[in-house]
């Protein structure tokens, strides 16, 4: 591996810095609006959205961690607070006595159903509506390429030679 870094030229630096800055600012703005509009944090929203999209409205905690790309301790802490607010419940997993299920409660269902329309409106306002359809397609393709590279490197790093989708890397 070379010890010499290939520094970013002005064009590359501009693209990188504006991407990072725009992503950060968009993330902060959407988080603030979500909290103001619904009293849900981004973490609350993510958990409620995943559970509400699952047919049984419940998932094993480990599976929820994997879907959210969270550590077990983070999920545990977040679910504890949401339990206290009556949004979700923890229950024994009948399929595996060593694990627990996180279940969406009626108040959690109402909270996500009330928050989602305004959140989508904000995503449109600050992101979607600023781009032409072909720009959306290009942006999606670019980010899919980035995600593939990241998945491929994780597969190489863990020594399996397989990506997260189970395909073999050659």
């Amino acid at each position: 591996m070379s010890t010499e870094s290939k520094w970013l030229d002005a064009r590359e630096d501009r693209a990188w810095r504006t991407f990072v800055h725009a992503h950060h600012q968009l993330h902060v703005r959407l988080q603030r609006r979500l909290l103001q509009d619904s009293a849900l944090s981004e973490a609350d929203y993510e958990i409620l959205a995943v559970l509400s999209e699952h047919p049984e409205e419940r998932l094993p905690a480990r599976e929820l961690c994997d879907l959210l790309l969270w550590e077990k301790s983070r999920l545990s802490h977040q679910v504890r607070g949401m339990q206290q607010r009556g949004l979700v419940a923890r229950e024994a997993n009948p399929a595996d006595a060593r694990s627990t299920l996180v279940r969406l409660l009626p108040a959690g269902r109402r909270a996500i159903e009330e928050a989602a329309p305004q959140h989508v409106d904000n995503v449109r306002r600050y992101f979607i509506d600023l781009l032409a359809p072909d720009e959306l397609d290009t942006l999606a393709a670019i980010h899919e390429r980035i995600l593939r590279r990241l998945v491929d490197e994780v597969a190489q790093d863990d020594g399996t030679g397989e990506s997260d989708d189970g395909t073999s890397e050659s």
Side-chain angles (χ1 to χ4, degrees):
M1 179 182 262
S2 173
T3 57
E4 288 287 320
S5 292
K6 181 180 175 195
W7 297 103
L8 303 180
D9 63 28
R11 174 193 230 170
E12 294 165 336
D13 187 63
R14 176 178 172 237
W16 173 246
R17 288 176 187 257
T18 56
F19 165 76
V20 170
H21 187 69
H23 178 268
H24 176 73
Q25 292 297 316
L26 178 61
H27 189 247
V28 167
R29 176 67 54 93
L30 289 173
Q31 280 185 312
R32 284 183 184 151
R33 292 299 306 259
L34 181 63
L35 196 55
Q36 289 169 352
D37 296 340
S38 68
L40 293 176
S41 69
E42 179 186 30
D44 294 335
Y45 188 91
E46 287 184 65
I47 290 172
L48 294 174
V50 169
L51 292 174
S52 71
E53 292 168 355
H54 193 272
E56 297 176 16
E57 295 189 337
R58 69 184 78 208
L59 284 168
R62 173 52 44 207
E63 190 175 336
L64 192 52
C65 279
D66 292 345
L67 289 169
L68 296 170
L69 301 175
W70 288 8
E71 296 296 321
K72 184 180 173 183
S73 60
R74 179 178 181 197
L75 180 70
S76 180
H77 175 75
Q78 187 65 38
V79 166
R80 188 177 312 114
M82 293 174 73
Q83 264 186 291
Q84 292 170 349
R85 294 175 13 236
L87 302 173
V88 297
R90 289 182 220 212
E91 54 190 39
N93 185 347
D96 181 359
R98 297 169 295 158
S99 71
T100 59
L101 295 172
V102 180
R103 180 171 51 95
L104 184 65
L105 294 176
R109 164 63 68 194
R110 280 190 308 278
I112 192 70
E113 287 175 350
E114 291 171 6
Q118 184 62 52
H119 183 61
V120 169
D121 286 348
N122 288 327
V123 169
R124 283 194 168 288
R125 177 180 179 194
Y126 298 117
F127 183 72
I128 300 297
D129 291 345
L130 300 174
L131 303 170
D134 62 321
E135 291 173 318
L136 289 170
D137 294 339
T138 299
L139 193 59
I142 290 167
H143 287 96
E144 288 163 352
R145 188 177 330 140
I146 292 168
L147 291 169
R148 277 193 303 275
R149 168 68 60 92
L150 295 172
V151 166
D152 290 349
E153 286 194 6
V154 167
Q156 290 172 0
D157 290 347
D158 72 11
T160 64
E162 290 187 359
S163 63
D164 286 347
D165 64 5
T167 59
S168 180
E169 302 297 321
S170 301

